[in-house]
Amino acid sequence: MPPPVQSQRSPSPSQPSGKSEVSDLKLQLRQLAGSRAPGVDDSKRELFKKVISYMTIGIDVSSLFGEMVMCSATSDVVLKKMCYLYVGNYAKVNPDLALLTINFLQRDCRDEDPMIRGLALRSLSSLCVANLVEYLVGPLGSGLKDGNAYVRMVAVIGVLKLYRFSSSTCIDAEFPSILKHLMISDSDTHVVANCLSALQEIWSAEASASDEALREREALISKPIIYYLLNRIKEFSEWAQCLVLELVTKYVPSDTSEVFDIMNLLEDRLQHANGAVVLATAKVFLQLTLSMSDVHHKVYERIKAPMLTLVSSGSPEQSYAVLSHLHLLVMRAPYIFFSDYKHFYCQYYEPSYVKRLKLEMLTAVANESNTYEIVTELCEYAANVDVPIARESIRAVGKIALQQYDVNAIVDRLLQFLEMEKDYVTAEALVLVKDLLRKYPQWSQDCIAVVGNISSKTVQEPKAKAALIWMLGEYSQEMQDAPYVLESLVENWEEEHSAEVRLHLLTAVMKCFFKRPPETQNALGAALAAVAERVVNPPKQAVSVFADTQSSEIKDRIFDEFNSLSVVYQKPSYMFTDREHRGQIEFSDELGNLSIGGEPSENVVSAQRVDENDKDLLLTTSEKEEASGLSNNGSAYASPYDNSSASAVGSQTRAESEISNPTATGYSSQSASLGIEDLLGLGSPAAAPAPPSPQLKLNAVAALDPSTFQQKWRQLPVALSQEYSVSPRGVAALTAPQALIRHMQSHSIHCIASGGQSPSFKFFFFAQKTESSSTYLVECIINTSSANAQTKIKADDQSTSEVFSTLFQSALSKFGNP
Amino acid sequence: MPVAASAIYFLNLRGDVLINRLYRDDVGGNMVDAFRMHIMQTKELGTCPVRQIGGCSFFYMRISNVYIVIVVSSNANVACAFKFVVEAVALFKSYFGGAFDEDAIRNNFVLIYELLDEIMDFGYPQNLSPEILKLYITQEGVRSPFSSKPSDKPVPNATLQVTGAVGWRREGLVYKKNEVFLDIVESVNLLMSSKGSVLRCDVTGKILMKCFLSGMPDLKLGLNDKIGLEKESELKSRPAKSGKTIELDDVTFHQCVNLTRFNSEKTVSFVPPDGEFELMKYRITEGVNLPFRVLPTIKELGRTRMEVNVKVKSVFGAKMFALGVVIKIPVPKQTAKTSFQVTSGRAKYQASIDCLVWKIRKFPGQTEPTLSAEVELISTMAEKKSWTRPPIQMEFQVPMFTASGLRVRFLKVWEKSGYNTVEWVRYITKAGSYEIRQLVVSGSKLVMAEGAIRLFSTGSRCHEIRRGEGHLPGPTQPAFDM
C-alpha cells in the first residue's frame, strides 16, 4: 500500500510541510521508547496521534518507522491499533524495517485475548511485503482454526489478502480448500460470508488458468451450496445477505417449482430495511423468472412498491441509486408503471440528477390516459426549474407528442411555450413544433399563426433558427411576411456561421420563391440560385420517434447486471472495467502517473496477461483462428489492398469500433461470453460451435473504401440474386439499420452504406476472405412488413459466391436471436 | 461482490483529506487527487453522486461539511455502497454523540480509523451495528475485560456478540424499571399545483423505539392497518371492529422483526435491540389527512410592485396545535422593500434566500391566520422574466397527530421472568417536502386568479388524492403461488 505522497506536490495551504515537525516527533518517540514510567502510554498516544494525523494529510512520516516499532511494545489496545495502522501504511516502502514488526505481530497473534489475536492477524496480513509472506502462512493457518469466530473471520479475509499478494503461496498452503470447508461447516455466519467473498474472488481469478478453479467456481452455485446459504439467510448480516443474494442470481433452478420455492423463501427480504438487500432480492426474482414471462410480469408488480418506497426514503444519493434501477425497469416495461406516474413528479429542490431520471421516466410511462396530466406537469418544469431541466422537459413534451394520438392538448402547450418569451424555451419549442408539423401536417394552421409572431432576431440557437426558417419556407404561402423575414435573414448571410442554418435558409428561399416569385425578389433569387441549385433539396429527415440509442443486446446486458454500477452508468460493466473498452482517460499531465495497478513492473506483466486473456475472451473459436492467421500476416489491421487510403480507413474503422462505438464491441464481447458458456457447458474448447462454412473464412477486420466499392459494384456482374424471408424476430429487431449492421459485423460482414426507414431498409455489405483479397459485395433490401429480404451478390471470385451466399443467409437468419 | 471498496476518503469542503483508508492496493494512493481535480474543482460537483474517472468509480456523499468518497475499481453495487456510507455515518454519530462534521472528525480521527478497520475489511463490509461495536471499541484503551481471565476459558460476551446469531441484543441486561418508548414519526410530502389541486401526496412514516427492558423480551405490536386487522378477525373468526383502518402501501422492518411471522400472522413480533432503534418504515398514499392547506394569491401590480396574500388553514382537531410552523414564500431577487401584516406569528423578508419567512410558534387547530404583504421591486427590464417562481414551502410539527391516521392498538411485552413494563406511545407529524406552487397573476388577470382560488378552496382534494394511485399490490399479500 503506497503512502499517499503529496507533500512534494503543492500541498494545500492549510497543511504544513512538516519537515521539522517530523524530526521533532522522532526525538520525542525515542525518549519514550524505553521508558516504563507510569503515564507513558498517554504521552505515547498523543505522539502516535500526531504521527497518524500527519500521515493522513499526506506528510511522509515513514522515517519514523524504527521509532514507532520500538514504541509498540505496549499493552494499550488503542496504541497497538494506531501502530498497526502506521505499519500497514508504510511497511511496503520499508520492507526491511517491516521485518522488525513481525516479532511483535506474531506474538500478538498468540495473545490470550481474541481481540488482540484478530487485530494482529489483520495487520500482519495487510503488510504486503514480499519477504514477510512466509511468516504469514503459519498464523493464518492457526487463525482459521481458532476457537473464536472473530479471529476466524479476520483470518478468512487474511487468506484473500495473501492470495492477492502471492497467489501461489496461498494455493500451495491449500487455504482455499480450508475456506471451502469452513464455508459449509462454520457455525458463524460472518465467517461463512467472508469465506464466500474470498472464494468467489480466488476462484474467479484462478478460473482463467485452471480448470479445477473453474469447476470450483461452478460448485459455488451448485444446488447444495445455494440451498445451504439460502436456508441460513436470516442469520447473515445485511451485507452478507447482499452477497448471498447476488450469488443466487447466478443459480439456475432445475424447474419452476424450485423457482417458486426460492422466491417464497426470499419474499420477506423485500421488506428489509436495507435498500441494498431489497434490490438484491429484486434482482434474484427478475433473473429467476426471465424465461417465465407471466411470472416475470408479476415480479415487476411485486417489487414496484418496495422500490418506490426506497426512492422516497433516504438521502438523494441513495434514492438516485434506486431510481436508476427503477428507470431501467420502467424502460423495460413502462406499462407496469402507467398508474404510478405521480411518483416521478419532480420536487423543486431535488438535485438535477434525480430530476433528469424522473423526466425520462415520466416520458416513458405516458399513455393515452395520463398524457394530459403528465404534459401539464412537464410544462410546469419548463417554466420553473433550472435551464437544462427546462430544456429536457420541453423535449419530453415533444417526445410524448410524437408518440401519442391525441396531440390536441399538447400542441396548445407547445404554442404556449413560444409565448413565454424565454430564449431557451422558444428555441426548444421551435424545434419541436417543426418536428410535430412533419408528423401532423394538419396542425399547420394553428402553429403557423403563432410561429409567425416570433421575431427571427430573438432566435439565436442554430437548431431553433433552422427550424424557424424551415417553417418559413415550407409555409410561405400561409405566412404573410415570410418573404420579407427571409430576405432580412439573407441579408445577414455573412454573419450566419452555422452550416445548418445556411442550408435551411437557401432551401427556404427557394421554396418561397417557387410559391411567391414576385415578392421573393429577383435579386434574391438570382443571388442564391447559383449556390442553391446544388445544395437545395436535402432529404427531409424523418423524425426518429424512438431512436433508441442503445441496442437491445446492451440493454439486456445491463439488465443482467442489475444492482450494480452498470445500471447507473447505463452501460454494461465491460465498458468501464475492462481496460480496452474504457474511453480516453482524461488525466492531465500532473496525474499522468496515477497508477491504477500495483507495482509498475508487475503491472506490465499482469496487464499483458490480462490483454491476452481479453483477446481470447473476445473471440470465439473461429475468430481466434482468424486472428492468429492475421497476425501471421504481420499486419493485422491493414486492408488487403495495397492502398494507403484504404488501409487508413480500415484502421480508422477498427479504432472506431473499438473505442467510440461501444455497441459494436458490445456484440463481440457478448459472443465472447457465449463462447465461455459453451466452454463451461461442454468442458472443452473443441465443443464450441464450428464455423458455419469451413471452406470460407471471412476477414473480421476487412476494409474497403466507398469509391472502390462503387467501382467494383459497377464492374462486376451479379453472381447471385436471391430472395428469402426474414424471421419475425429479425423483423422485430430491425428498428434501425444500425442493429443489423452490428449483427452482420459480428459475422465479419461489413456494411458500407445503409439507408431507408421502416418498413423498407437497404444495405450494401462487403466481406473479404481472410487468405486472399477476394471481395464479396452484397446489396440487401429488407422489407419488414412483408418480412422478406432481397439480395444481390457480386464477387471477385465467382466460384465461391454460392458458399458466401449461404454464409450470408445464415448470418442474416440469426439476426434477432437472443 | 456487493462492494469491494478500494478506499474511503473523508474530505472537507476545501478538499483537505481528513481521513484516508486504503483497503486494497488495486487503486493508486492518490485517487484523492483525481477526485479533487475532476470532481471537486469542476462544475461536476453535485451533478451526479457517481462518477467514473480513469478506471475507477467514485461514489460521494456530502454530509454537513464533509465529503465521504468511496473508490471502487470494479462493477460495484451502488445501493450497497451508499447504504454503507449512511450506516457508517450513523455509527460515527452514535460514538461522538450527535454531530458529524469536520470538527468531530478531527477530534476523533483515531477512533474513526479504529472503526473503519472493524466495519470493513479488504473492501468487504463487516459488522456495522453500534450496539455490538461499542462492546469492544472504546477509547478507554484498556484491554477488553476478558483478557485478564485465564486464557483457556471460553471467551464470553464481546466477540461472541460480534458474530452471534441474535446480533442485535446482548444477554443479561437488567433494568430496574422496564420501559418502552414508542414514537410514530410521520412526514407528509405534498406537491400542490398552482391551481390548488394535489399533484402528489404521501406519507413516509417510521416507528422509533427506545427499549429499556431486562432479559430477552418478546414484543408484539398491533396497529390499525387494514391487512393486520382483517387477518386478526379472520383468525378469531369474528367480524372486524368498525373504525378507521389504514392501508399501508409498503412496509420495511428492522432486522429484529420476525418477517415470517409477519407474513403468516400479520403481526409485528420481535426481540428488540437494547436502546434506540428504528422498528419499521412505511409509506402511505391513500387517504392522507393533510394538516395544513395553504391558499396563496400573488398579484403583480405593475412592474415594480407585488401583493402577496397567504392564508394558512389548520385542518386538524381544535384541541391540538402545531409547533414551529414556518412558511417560506419566495419573492424575486430584486426585492427592495417589503411590508407585512400578519394575524398571527411574525414575518420578515430574508434576502439571503429571497423569501418572505413567516413563523408561527404555536398554531392551534381549526384556525386560519393570514399574511398580507406588499413587495416593492427594483425595476429592471431583464431580470424580471427570469424569476422562476419557486414553490412556497412549509415546515411544521404536529404532535399527537398522524397524517395517515395510523394508531397503535397494543404493544405486548413478554419475558420469561414476567416483569411489568411501562409503555409510552407518542405521535408526531412533520412536514417532509411540503411544496405549494405559486400562481402569479398580473393585476389585469385577477378574475382568473379568483377562479383558481375557488377551485382550490372547494377542495377537489379527496378526488385528487385518489386519482391515479392505481392498485399497488399490498405489501403483505402472498404474491407467488403455483
Side-chain angles (χ1 to χ4, degrees):
Chain A
M1 225 178 292
V5 186
Q6 291 166 321
S7 41
Q8 303 96 314
R9 169 184 326 137
S10 66
S12 109
S14 69
Q15 300 177 354
S17 67
K19 275 261 157 59
S20 60
E21 284 92 336
V22 172
S23 53
D24 208 35
L25 275 175
K26 195 168 188 158
L27 258 169
Q28 293 183 37
L29 279 170
R30 246 187 216 158
Q31 282 166 2
L32 287 179
S35 164
R36 289 186 188 275
V40 74
D41 275 355
D42 287 337
S43 27
K44 274 188 192 170
R45 260 204 215 187
E46 284 312 308
L47 284 178
F48 274 35
K49 267 192 191 176
K50 258 186 206 158
V51 174
I52 304 279
S53 77
Y54 284 168
M55 190 176 89
T56 300
I57 58 177
I59 295 173
D60 185 4
V61 284
S62 59
S63 56
L64 301 176
F65 205 94
E67 285 74 16
M68 288 292 282
V69 173
M70 275 196 269
C71 283
S72 59
T74 172
S75 58
D76 184 336
V77 182
V78 177
L79 265 183
K80 263 187 200 302
K81 284 184 183 170
M82 284 197 267
C83 188
Y84 292 156
L85 182 71
Y86 175 86
V87 170
N89 237 358
Y90 287 111
K92 204 169 182 180
V93 283
N94 275 319
D96 297 332
L97 284 172
L99 255 173
L100 297 174
T101 62
I102 287 291
N103 262 333
F104 83 84
L105 282 174
Q106 276 193 325
R107 198 182 56 231
D108 283 352
C109 283
R110 293 188 297 271
D111 197 281
E112 61 188 21
D113 185 345
M115 213 76 224
I116 303 284
R117 289 204 298 275
L119 281 172
L121 192 55
R122 184 185 293 149
S123 311
L124 190 61
S125 54
S126 305
L127 286 182
C128 286
V129 178
N131 51 6
L132 297 189
V133 166
E134 50 181 312
Y135 299 99
L136 183 55
V137 176
L140 270 184
S142 43
L144 289 172
K145 291 191 211 91
D146 200 290
N148 190 288
Y150 179 76
V151 183
R152 290 200 301 276
M153 196 170 111
V154 172
V156 171
I157 294 290
V159 169
L160 181 57
K161 291 177 188 163
L162 173 65
Y163 175 79
R164 281 296 173 198
F165 187 64
S166 163
S167 55
S168 56
T169 319
C170 180
I171 305 280
D172 291 345
E174 301 205 326
F175 282 137
S177 58
I178 301 178
L179 293 195
K180 204 169 120 189
H181 180 71
L182 268 184
M183 185 177 74
I184 49 176
S185 63
D186 205 289
S187 58
D188 187 278
T189 49
H190 279 91
V191 178
V192 174
N194 282 355
C195 283
L196 181 59
S197 314
L199 283 177
Q200 272 186 298
E201 258 201 76
I202 293 176
W203 293 138
S204 303
E206 284 290 301
S208 56
S210 98
D211 285 346
E212 197 204 330
L214 229 135
R215 274 196 298 281
E216 291 288 353
R217 194 178 64 176
E218 289 306 298
L220 285 180
I221 49 171
S222 65
K223 189 166 175 170
I225 301 269
I226 294 285
Y227 274 47
Y228 162 75
L229 292 171
L230 279 178
N231 284 326
R232 294 184 74 176
I233 191 132
K234 281 166 201 168
E235 301 167 32
F236 284 103
S237 75
E238 43 198 328
W239 316 103
Q241 288 187 14
C242 296
L243 188 77
V244 171
L245 290 169
E246 184 63 37
L247 186 74
V248 175
T249 58
K250 299 192 190 110
Y251 173 65
V252 184
S254 56
D255 55 21
T256 49
S257 72
E258 218 184 327
V259 172
F260 285 112
D261 284 347
I262 294 176
M263 290 205 296
N264 282 324
L265 180 73
L266 292 179
E267 212 208 334
D268 56 17
R269 295 298 105 193
L270 289 174
Q271 258 126 33
H272 200 283
N274 187 326
V277 174
V278 176
L279 275 183
T281 313
K283 179 175 182 182
V284 172
F285 282 23
L286 290 170
Q287 291 293 333
L288 287 182
T289 58
L290 263 181
S291 57
M292 309 150 76
S293 57
D294 50 333
V295 188
H296 195 61
H297 188 273
K298 267 194 192 166
V299 165
Y300 275 87
E301 294 280 2
R302 179 62 186 89
I303 63 179
K304 192 165 76 172
M307 286 188 67
L308 289 172
T309 306
L310 283 177
V311 168
S312 58
S313 58
S315 65
E317 290 87 359
Q318 282 174 291
S319 55
Y320 174 69
V322 181
L323 261 182
S324 305
H325 287 86
L326 206 55
H327 180 267
L328 178 73
L329 296 184
V330 167
M331 293 304 158
R332 278 180 85 87
Y335 50 90
I336 290 175
F337 298 88
F338 279 160
S339 54
D340 301 294
Y341 60 94
K342 286 191 178 177
H343 287 281
F344 309 137
Y345 282 6
C346 300
Q347 312 250 285
Y348 190 82
Y349 295 100
E350 269 171 342
S352 60
Y353 52 82
V354 168
K355 281 182 184 162
R356 191 157 294 130
L357 282 178
K358 284 188 168 179
L359 278 181
E360 283 178 27
M361 290 195 271
L362 270 180
T363 320
V365 299
N367 71 350
E368 274 161 66
S369 62
N370 60 23
T371 297
Y372 184 80
E373 281 163 82
I374 289 180
V375 171
T376 310
E377 183 65 15
L378 287 171
C379 294
E380 197 73 37
Y381 308 146
N384 260 341
V385 279
D386 54 316
V387 175
I389 293 294
R391 283 173 180 273
E392 290 274 337
S393 55
I394 298 171
R395 273 179 230 144
V397 172
K399 266 188 213 157
I400 293 174
L402 288 176
Q403 45 178 279
Q404 295 300 320
Y405 305 99
D406 171 34
V407 282
N408 204 337
I410 300 177
V411 172
D412 277 355
R413 300 300 170 76
L414 277 179
L415 296 178
Q416 275 173 25
F417 287 151
L418 291 178
E419 286 162 352
M420 273 172 57
E421 293 179 39
K422 277 183 190 159
D423 292 347
Y424 58 90
V425 176
T426 313
E428 290 291 340
L430 274 176
V431 176
L432 282 183
V433 170
K434 177 203 69 178
D435 287 349
L436 269 185
L437 284 178
R438 283 179 173 171
K439 187 160 180 182
Y440 311 104
Q442 66 270 29
W443 290 101
S444 60
Q445 289 265 310
D446 307 63
C447 295
I448 291 314
V450 181
V451 171
N453 291 333
I454 292 175
S455 156
S456 61
K457 292 191 184 68
T458 59
V459 182
Q460 287 307 325
E461 287 172 44
K463 278 227 175 316
K465 210 165 184 178
L468 178 63
I469 293 170
W470 183 86
M471 287 186 272
L472 284 169
E474 191 71 22
Y475 300 99
S476 47
Q477 205 83 62
E478 292 85 353
M479 285 176 166
Q480 271 303 312
D481 51 356
Y484 311 105
V485 176
L486 286 173
E487 189 181 342
S488 67
L489 282 167
V490 170
E491 276 166 18
N492 293 326
W493 179 269
E494 286 307 317
E495 285 136 52
E496 185 55 65
H497 298 295
S498 157
E500 191 186 3
V501 175
R502 284 182 167 192
L503 184 64
H504 276 274
L505 191 52
L506 272 175
T507 322
V509 174
M510 281 289 279
K511 283 181 192 162
C512 187
F513 179 73
F514 291 139
K515 285 173 193 158
R516 300 159 70 173
E519 286 165 284
T520 318
Q521 291 166 358
N522 289 339
L524 185 67
L528 293 172
V531 206
E533 266 177 5
R534 289 184 205 164
V535 199
V536 172
N537 211 13
K540 273 186 207 173
Q541 280 163 11
V543 179
S544 48
V545 183
F546 292 117
D548 279 334
T549 46
Q550 288 180 329
S551 76
S552 57
E553 292 145 22
I554 296 233
K555 281 182 188 163
D556 285 346
R557 252 192 107 94
I558 296 173
F559 184 69
D560 288 342
E561 290 170 348
F562 194 85
N563 201 13
S564 73
L565 268 175
S566 317
V567 179
V568 174
Y569 289 149
Q570 299 187 1
K571 49 185 169 181
S573 61
Y574 67 83
M575 286 193 193
F576 57 91
T577 52
D578 290 7
R579 216 157 285 194
E580 261 184 65
H581 294 284
R582 244 179 254 148
Q584 298 262 316
I585 301 175
E586 342 113 31
F587 285 127
S588 58
D589 291 340
E590 199 181 347
L591 274 174
N593 56 355
L594 189 126
S595 69
I596 287 157
E599 291 269 273
S601 60
E602 239 176 35
N603 200 11
V604 173
V605 179
S606 68
Q608 261 171 9
R609 206 179 61 205
V610 168
D611 277 353
E612 272 165 26
N613 290 340
D614 275 1
K615 217 178 254 168
D616 285 350
L617 291 179
L618 285 173
L619 300 176
T620 57
T621 343
S622 60
E623 279 170 326
K624 253 184 225 172
E625 286 167 25
E626 287 167 21
S628 60
L630 273 172
S631 50
N632 285 344
N633 282 341
S635 61
Y637 300 150
S639 109
Y641 294 102
D642 216 359
N643 175 332
S644 61
S645 76
S647 73
V649 169
S651 56
Q652 195 193 344
T653 45
R654 163 86 182 189
E656 267 169 17
S657 71
E658 284 215 345
I659 296 159
S660 69
N661 189 359
T663 44
T665 37
Y667 192 88
S668 63
S669 161
Q670 198 198 26
S671 66
S673 70
L674 284 176
I676 294 173
E677 272 158 31
D678 283 334
L679 291 177
L680 298 180
L682 301 163
S684 82
S693 161
Q695 302 95 322
L696 184 66
K697 281 179 200 146
L698 297 177
N699 188 348
V701 288
L704 194 67
D705 63 326
S707 62
T708 323
F709 184 95
Q710 271 184 343
Q711 198 188 348
K712 275 183 183 280
W713 188 258
R714 275 199 297 272
Q715 285 166 353
L716 293 168
V718 177
L720 268 172
S721 180
Q722 282 179 318
E723 185 166 341
Y724 27 79
S725 62
V726 182
S727 71
R729 268 190 176 142
V731 170
L734 191 64
T735 47
Q738 282 71 21
L740 182 65
I741 293 170
R742 249 173 265 129
H743 169 81
M744 295 307 274
Q745 198 161 12
S746 70
H747 291 268
S748 305
I749 297 169
H750 309 269
C751 179
I752 197 148
S754 68
Q757 51 181 293
S758 192
S760 172
F761 294 94
K762 187 171 185 177
F763 301 89
F764 285 101
F765 292 107
F766 70 93
Q768 279 166 349
K769 274 197 206 175
T770 34
E771 60 274 23
S772 70
S773 63
S774 174
T775 315
Y776 303 94
L777 311 177
V778 189
E779 180 197 73
C780 176
I781 300 169
I782 299 179
N783 191 310
T784 49
S785 61
S786 58
N788 74 346
Q790 294 174 326
T791 57
K792 278 186 196 139
I793 297 175
K794 299 184 180 188
D796 283 340
D797 179 7
Q798 301 279 344
S799 60
T800 54
S801 56
E802 201 66 75
V803 189
F804 174 76
S805 166
T806 47
L807 210 144
F808 183 85
Q809 197 176 342
S810 84
L812 189 63
S813 66
K814 283 183 198 130
F815 179 60
N817 286 4
Chain B
M1 58 195 86
V3 193
S6 300
I8 292 188
Y9 296 102
F10 292 33
L11 306 174
N12 68 7
L13 296 185
R14 289 192 353 205
D16 299 338
V17 182
L18 304 174
I19 298 281
N20 83 33
R21 182 75 180 86
L22 284 162
Y23 285 109
R24 296 179 156 233
D25 49 5
D26 55 354
V27 295
N30 44 9
M31 291 317 281
V32 69
D33 291 344
F35 178 76
R36 278 202 209 110
M37 183 159 303
H38 293 278
I39 298 175
M40 285 195 88
Q41 294 167 6
T42 61
K43 283 183 190 154
E44 291 283 333
L45 192 66
T47 55
C48 186
V50 184
R51 174 75 209 281
Q52 191 191 356
I53 303 169
C56 299
S57 291
F58 291 75
F59 303 91
Y60 64 96
M61 266 177 122
R62 182 176 163 176
I63 290 157
S64 75
N65 54 0
V66 177
Y67 283 104
I68 298 185
V69 186
I70 288 192
V71 187
V72 297
S73 65
S74 55
N75 185 18
N77 180 330
V78 192
C80 211
F82 283 127
K83 180 71 182 174
F84 178 81
V85 174
V86 170
E87 292 278 300
V89 169
L91 174 69
F92 297 146
K93 275 186 183 164
S94 81
Y95 265 94
F96 316 153
F100 177 84
D101 54 21
E102 190 180 340
D103 290 339
I105 292 171
R106 284 195 193 279
N107 294 335
N108 294 285
F109 73 93
V110 175
L111 174 66
I112 293 180
Y113 274 124
E114 260 186 77
L115 288 171
L116 283 177
D117 256 355
E118 289 299 325
I119 61 179
M120 189 170 259
D121 199 0
F122 208 50
Y124 291 106
Q126 306 286 317
N127 201 333
L128 269 86
S129 144
E131 294 85 28
I132 303 305
L133 286 170
K134 275 182 182 163
L135 291 176
Y136 63 97
I137 303 234
T138 51
Q139 278 291 284
E140 302 314 310
V142 287
R143 306 192 99 185
S144 37
F146 34 77
S147 61
S148 53
K149 292 174 188 166
S151 60
D152 51 350
K153 268 210 168 173
V155 179
N157 276 339
T159 44
L160 272 186
Q161 283 301 325
V162 175
T163 53
V166 183
W168 56 85
R169 191 178 178 90
R170 128 177 92 100
E171 279 181 55
L173 289 165
V174 182
Y175 286 97
K176 248 187 194 160
K177 196 174 170 190
N178 290 295
E179 282 181 303
V180 188
F181 297 86
L182 200 73
D183 280 338
I184 298 194
V185 183
E186 297 197 333
S187 50
V188 204
N189 300 305
L190 170 76
L191 184 61
M192 192 170 267
S193 80
S194 54
K195 303 229 166 60
S197 58
V198 176
L199 291 175
R200 216 187 107 188
C201 171
D202 60 55
V203 170
T204 50
K206 48 189 171 186
I207 301 186
L208 301 174
M209 283 194 97
K210 230 186 261 178
C211 286
F212 303 108
L213 295 171
S214 314
M216 275 290 181
D218 232 320
L219 272 68
K220 208 165 147 185
L221 174 71
L223 302 167
N224 62 338
D225 69 299
K226 202 169 157 192
I227 295 159
L229 282 174
E230 275 168 8
K231 190 76 188 181
E232 191 177 278
S233 61
E234 188 185 299
L235 286 175
K236 292 180 183 166
S237 65
R238 64 175 140 87
K241 278 178 224 144
S242 57
K244 194 167 182 196
T245 60
I246 306 298
E247 207 166 327
L248 301 173
D249 280 16
D250 186 48
V251 208
T252 57
F253 294 106
H254 186 269
Q255 54 168 338
C256 70
V257 175
N258 185 335
L259 292 172
T260 329
R261 230 158 117 192
F262 175 76
N263 279 338
S264 60
E265 295 166 32
K266 304 298 168 202
T267 53
V268 183
S269 51
F270 53 98
V271 178
D274 193 38
E276 225 178 311
F277 69 103
E278 186 182 292
L279 177 68
M280 62 183 268
K281 270 193 293 207
Y282 55 89
R283 179 169 58 88
I284 292 172
T285 43
E286 203 96 358
V288 177
N289 309 311
L290 292 174
F292 290 99
R293 328 217 128 241
V294 181
L295 316 153
T297 349
I298 295 165
K299 275 182 262 179
E300 285 179 2
L301 308 169
R303 254 186 198 293
T304 56
R305 263 173 17 124
M306 272 170 65
E307 201 180 280
V308 178
N309 284 295
V310 179
K311 187 195 282 182
V312 180
K313 214 167 150 181
S314 55
V315 283
F316 44 86
K319 284 180 188 161
M320 289 191 273
F321 51 83
L323 297 173
V325 178
V326 179
I327 300 136
K328 290 182 191 159
I329 307 148
V331 288
K333 248 194 164 42
Q334 61 271 30
T335 298
K337 207 176 139 194
T338 51
S339 57
F340 298 98
Q341 270 191 320
V342 285
T343 58
S344 171
R346 242 185 257 172
K348 63 175 178 192
Y349 166 61
Q350 257 186 31
S352 58
I353 52 170
D354 297 315
C355 278
L356 307 179
V357 180
W358 179 20
K359 288 185 182 165
I360 304 168
R361 268 167 63 203
K362 200 168 167 181
F363 196 136
Q366 303 296 331
T367 53
E368 37 179 285
T370 55
L371 166 142
S372 47
E374 224 169 84
V375 179
E376 278 179 40
L377 307 174
I378 303 163
S379 104
T380 46
M381 295 290 285
E383 277 182 48
K384 185 135 166 281
K385 285 276 180 237
S386 66
W387 187 44
T388 56
R389 284 184 289 140
I392 294 173
Q393 284 185 298
M394 202 173 165
E395 293 164 22
F396 54 78
Q397 293 189 355
V398 193
M400 300 321 285
F401 173 83
T402 51
S404 64
L406 193 76
R407 284 277 177 272
V408 172
R409 291 189 302 126
F410 60 80
L411 176 65
K412 290 176 188 157
V413 181
W414 185 89
E415 216 275 339
K416 53 179 182 279
S417 63
Y419 54 71
N420 286 326
T421 49
V422 188
E423 294 111 28
W424 305 89
V425 180
R426 283 193 300 188
Y427 301 93
I428 192 163
T429 293
K430 295 179 184 172
S433 138
Y434 214 78
E435 292 187 357
I436 297 102
R437 291 181 182 158
Q438 294 190 44
L439 180 76
V440 180
V441 288
S442 55
S444 60
K445 286 189 189 163
L446 207 63
V447 187
M448 198 187 117
E450 272 161 11
I453 296 162
R454 199 167 55 243
L455 203 150
F456 178 67
S457 50
T458 50
S460 54
R461 56 185 182 267
C462 300
H463 174 66
E464 281 292 335
I465 292 165
R466 294 221 176 95
R467 232 162 92 194
E469 287 315 328
H471 299 283
L472 298 173
T476 47
Q477 293 162 5
F480 305 104
D481 41 85
M482 288 285 291

